[in-house]
Amino acid sequence: MAESKNNIVTHGLSGKVGDLLVFSQRNGKTIVSKAPKERTGELSDKQEVQKLKFQRAVLYAKAVMNDPDKKQMYETMSDDSKGISAYNVAVADLLNAPKIQEINLSAYTGNPGDTIRIIATDDFEVLLVTVKIENADGSLVEEGNAVSNGAEWIYTATVLNSDLSGDKITITASDRPANMTEKSETL
């Protein structure tokens, strides 16, 4: 990539030049790129969903930037040397829901005190993990919040569950912008 230093002609320049070039500023550098082509035709359903999701992400990031405490949290993940601002981190946080990597049911035998271990990750922060245990007929056995130990989330059973066959365990992970991911396992 070519780089021009101390160019007094393009320094601070921003905007579109005809249909050829677009100048923009990022971290004190002038970025020159090819002008985007005009969109023709209607958006597909998937494109429309993604457009609306991105609009929500922009609104969320703007709200974060107006809240000093939230802005500070996102600034901890920003990296000015790579052009990643707190605003960019907030946009990405809304666009990326948490992932439930693993559900470990090996220590759950249906007794109070048994544990279920969950590994849930997010690009910024997993805020809450909930566990719901249902019998095969769909009746609720118990539900509650798991507790983080820093590496994983641990749910401790509080109710005796004598028949585990066909039971469904549903894990829900949530992040700061309230994205939720759900994953179920059947015993």
Side-chain angles (χ1 to χ4, degrees):
M1 171 167 71
E3 186 174 324
S4 175
K5 298 182 188 246
N6 299 324
N7 187 330
I8 60 171
V9 175
T10 61
H11 180 73
L13 187 62
S14 67
K16 191 173 176 184
V17 177
D19 291 334
L20 300 174
L21 300 173
V22 174
F23 289 85
S24 58
Q25 298 295 314
R26 178 171 284 172
N27 295 329
K29 293 184 178 182
T30 303
I31 309 296
V32 182
S33 58
K34 184 177 168 184
K37 293 181 181 177
E38 290 291 322
R39 173 172 289 282
T40 57
E42 293 185 26
L43 298 176
S44 70
D45 289 343
K46 283 185 175 182
Q47 288 172 323
E48 191 65 41
V49 167
Q50 189 61 27
K51 178 183 169 185
L52 292 173
K53 189 173 181 182
F54 192 77
Q55 286 174 337
R56 278 188 50 233
V58 167
L59 292 172
Y60 175 74
K62 286 180 178 181
V64 165
M65 294 300 103
N66 288 326
D67 182 323
D69 294 333
K70 288 181 181 177
K71 182 178 179 181
Q72 178 62 37
M73 282 189 301
Y74 283 99
E75 282 177 343
T76 63
M77 295 289 289
S78 66
D79 186 347
D80 290 335
S81 68
K82 293 182 181 177
I84 302 170
S85 67
Y87 178 88
N88 300 135
V89 176
V91 166
D93 193 22
L94 187 127
L95 291 175
N96 297 302
K99 291 178 180 52
I100 299 170
Q101 306 290 340
E102 182 182 324
I103 301 171
N104 183 339
L105 302 172
S106 63
Y108 180 68
T109 60
N111 294 309
D114 288 353
T115 59
I116 297 172
R117 296 179 174 284
I118 303 113
I119 297 176
T121 59
D122 187 55
D123 58 339
F124 185 71
E125 175 186 26
V126 176
L127 204 56
L128 178 67
V129 173
T130 61
V131 176
K132 182 178 184 181
I133 303 171
E134 297 171 289
N135 283 324
D137 65 1
S139 61
L140 180 66
V141 175
E142 67 177 294
E143 65 182 324
N145 296 339
V147 177
S148 175
N149 68 6
E152 62 187 352
W153 293 80
I154 300 169
Y155 179 76
T156 304
T158 59
V159 176
L160 178 63
N161 186 5
S162 56
D163 183 16
L164 299 178
S165 62
D167 279 12
K168 181 172 131 181
I169 302 193
T170 304
I171 310 298
T172 305
S174 305
D175 64 3
R176 192 158 295 283
N179 291 317
M180 290 193 307
T181 300
E182 191 173 277
K183 188 173 183 179
S184 296
E185 300 248 343
T186 303
L187 298 174

